[in-house]
């Protein structure tokens, strides 16, 4: 096996920082692991070129927090940390460890994780993994180290081609459906923070996004002009579209705002950003959203599970206690 390791070889394992010139080799390892549902992670695509493009699109160089495990000269494991100082969290991309024995795999992951943790800047105190629901090794590894398994999410996708339901009769982006402007920030940011507390993008970050590949639309109430809902999507480095967030304020639901926002975002992704497909992830328990996407032709693919670790809250002793 290209990246294989035997239990005996654990003694000669070395963990070190990844080098930027290793990206091709490392993404090959990642793609091999991604093909296996029992070792698949949620944040990255499947093929080596797609994964390389995604890593090069991170907010900072991918090797900033990146550890590799080597046995002799061969790379057998890799873990990258994608962190956000404002949110104070790192999202682990990986681990990719080509080992078929859980005990050995677990030891390599522990070594990689410890090394990568040391590279994180101060202030990054929360950690998250998101993996295929079949990646039980990581769940067991994480639970033994204070990570808490989250709820199951489902990844969904639709092609963006002539036959796509989500593109048929899509409303034009005008009138009550329009791009988010600076003036909408004061409404959209708190709505987002209320609907998605503690997620990977704050309301302020979402409302301020202005990269060419970002799509930000709002739906306004036709009578009052008040913002009823918003959608945040993007063209990803692999060329696919991704819907990050969709929210409609409680008093405006079941009026078709979300349906129209999705259709309009799909139209922008297809027509302006040249996307041939659109993807998203939704909590398995969110029946409303799953029904909504299903009615627009989205198909469910993988079930995913998050694992998170937050610092323990400071102990609150009686007043005056040391
Ligand atoms: C999910 C959400 C965006 C739907 O917004 P909405 O504007 O009320 O949705 P729409 O009016 O466009 O509904 C379109 C279709 O979706 C489905 N749907 C929407 N809400 C539903 C609900 N509560 N129960 C069942 N189906 C529902 C229906 O098929 C509906 O068509 P219908 O009204 O003709 O039956 C909204 O409930 C919301 O913001 N929820 C909290 C945030 C969230 O979960 N976002 C999605 C995360 S990916």
């Amino acid at each position: 096996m290209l990246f294989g390791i035997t239990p005996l070889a654990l003694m000669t394992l070395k963990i070190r920082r990844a080098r930027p010139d290793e990206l091709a080799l490392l993404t090959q390892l990642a793609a091999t692991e991604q093909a296996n549902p029992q070792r698949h992670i949620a944040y990255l695509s499947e093929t080596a070129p797609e994964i390389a493009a995604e890593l090069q699109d991170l907010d900072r160089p991918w090797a900033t927090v990146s550890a590799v495990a080597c046995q002799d000269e061969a790379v057998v494991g890799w873990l990258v940390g994608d962190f956000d100082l404002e949110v104070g969290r790192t999202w682990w991309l990986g681990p990719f460890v080509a080992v078929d024995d859980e005990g050995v795999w677990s030891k390599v992951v522990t070594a990689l994780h410890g090394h990568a943790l040391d590279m994180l800047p101060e202030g990054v105190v929360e950690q998250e993994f998101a993996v295929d629901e079949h990646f039980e090794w990581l769940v067991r590894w994480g639970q033994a180290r204070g990570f808490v398994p989250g709820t199951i999410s489902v990844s969904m996708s639709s092609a963006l081609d002539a036959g796509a339901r989500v593109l048929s009769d899509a409303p034009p982006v005008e009138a009550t459906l329009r791009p988010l402007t600076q003036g909408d920030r004061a409404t959209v940011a708190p709505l987002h923070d209320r609907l998605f507390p503690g997620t990977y993008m704050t309301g302020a970050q979402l409302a301020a996004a202005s990269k060419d590949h970002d799509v930000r639309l709002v739906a306004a109430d036709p009578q009052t002009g008040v913002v009823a809902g918003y959608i945040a999507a993007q063209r990803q480095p692999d060329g696919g579209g991704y819907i990050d967030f969709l929210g409609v304020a409680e008093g405006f639901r079941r009026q078709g705002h979300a349906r129209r926002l999705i259709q309009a975002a799909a139209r922008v992704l297809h027509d302006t950003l040249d996307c041939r497909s659109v993807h998203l992830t939704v909590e398995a328990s969110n029946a409303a959203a799953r029904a909504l996407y299903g009615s627009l032709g989205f198909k469910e693919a993988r079930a995913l599970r998050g694992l998170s670790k937050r610092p323990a809250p400071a102990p609150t002793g009686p007043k005056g206690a040391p």
Side-chain angles (χ1 to χ4, degrees):
M1 193 194 341
L2 180 58
F3 297 106
I5 185 174
T6 58
L8 283 177
L10 201 53
M11 293 161 70
T12 59
L13 196 73
K14 295 226 166 33
I15 310 290
R16 60 164 171 80
R17 180 183 282 274
R19 293 191 308 265
D21 65 1
E22 291 177 305
L23 187 60
L25 175 74
L26 295 174
T27 52
Q28 226 183 310
L29 165 65
T32 308
E33 294 299 297
Q34 284 294 75
N36 178 355
Q38 289 165 346
R39 303 231 281 261
H40 180 97
I41 71 145
Y43 302 129
L44 295 174
S45 298
E46 313 265 328
T47 69
E50 286 168 346
I51 296 168
E54 285 160 353
L55 287 166
Q56 280 162 331
D57 192 55
L58 298 181
D59 286 343
R60 58 188 61 74
W62 65 270
T64 308
V65 175
S66 186
V68 293
C70 301
Q71 195 242 319
D72 298 328
E73 288 309 302
V75 171
V76 294
W78 184 32
L79 179 66
V80 175
D82 176 22
F83 61 88
D84 183 326
L85 280 170
E86 198 177 332
V87 178
R89 189 177 305 161
T90 190
W91 291 268
W92 292 116
L93 311 182
F96 301 112
V97 175
V99 177
D100 291 329
D101 175 282
E102 183 176 359
V104 180
W105 178 93
S106 177
K107 285 183 176 136
V108 177
V109 173
T110 302
L112 278 172
H113 178 248
H115 202 84
L117 263 184
D118 286 342
M119 296 180 202
L120 282 174
E122 232 175 278
V124 178
V125 292
E126 300 180 356
Q127 306 176 53
E128 279 193 14
F129 289 94
V131 299
D132 188 290
E133 64 168 344
H134 297 103
F135 200 164
E136 291 168 7
W137 288 5
L138 190 75
V139 177
R140 278 197 283 274
W141 176 91
Q143 282 184 295
R145 287 157 185 83
F147 282 81
V148 178
T151 50
I152 296 275
S153 302
V154 179
S155 62
M156 300 184 79
S157 65
S158 165
L160 292 179
D161 55 25
R165 207 181 309 164
V166 69
L167 287 178
S168 61
D169 303 326
V173 186
E174 58 183 28
T176 57
L177 205 58
R178 56 177 169 74
L180 183 147
T181 63
Q182 212 170 335
D184 297 318
R185 290 184 186 176
T187 319
V188 170
L191 175 61
H192 175 74
D193 289 332
R194 188 156 50 78
L195 295 179
F196 300 97
T199 188
Y200 60 90
M201 199 186 285
T202 65
Q205 288 174 327
L206 179 139
S210 59
K211 289 189 189 148
D212 288 345
H213 60 242
D214 288 329
V215 181
R216 298 285 185 270
L217 304 175
V218 296
D221 180 68
Q223 264 83 51
T224 60
V226 171
V227 170
Y230 68 96
I231 192 163
Q234 58 170 300
R235 181 187 207 273
Q236 295 194 300
D238 66 2
Y242 190 80
I243 298 178
D244 283 290
F245 298 102
L246 164 72
V248 173
E250 289 81 351
F252 293 100
R253 291 188 183 163
R254 296 313 279 264
Q255 299 171 27
H257 286 304
R259 185 191 295 278
R260 295 170 66 244
L261 280 163
I262 298 166
Q263 289 176 308
R267 184 51 72 192
V268 177
L269 288 169
H270 176 265
D271 293 0
T272 310
L273 296 174
D274 203 25
C275 297
R276 294 285 165 257
S277 60
V278 56
H279 308 256
L280 60 97
T281 307
V282 58
E283 286 215 354
S285 61
N286 192 340
R290 286 173 79 177
L292 169 65
Y293 290 115
S295 75
L296 286 165
F298 282 74
K299 298 272 177 285
E300 302 196 349
R302 240 177 232 285
L304 306 165
R305 186 186 286 287
L307 268 180
S308 58
K309 188 170 181 178
R310 312 263 183 268
T316 50
K319 257 193 180 158

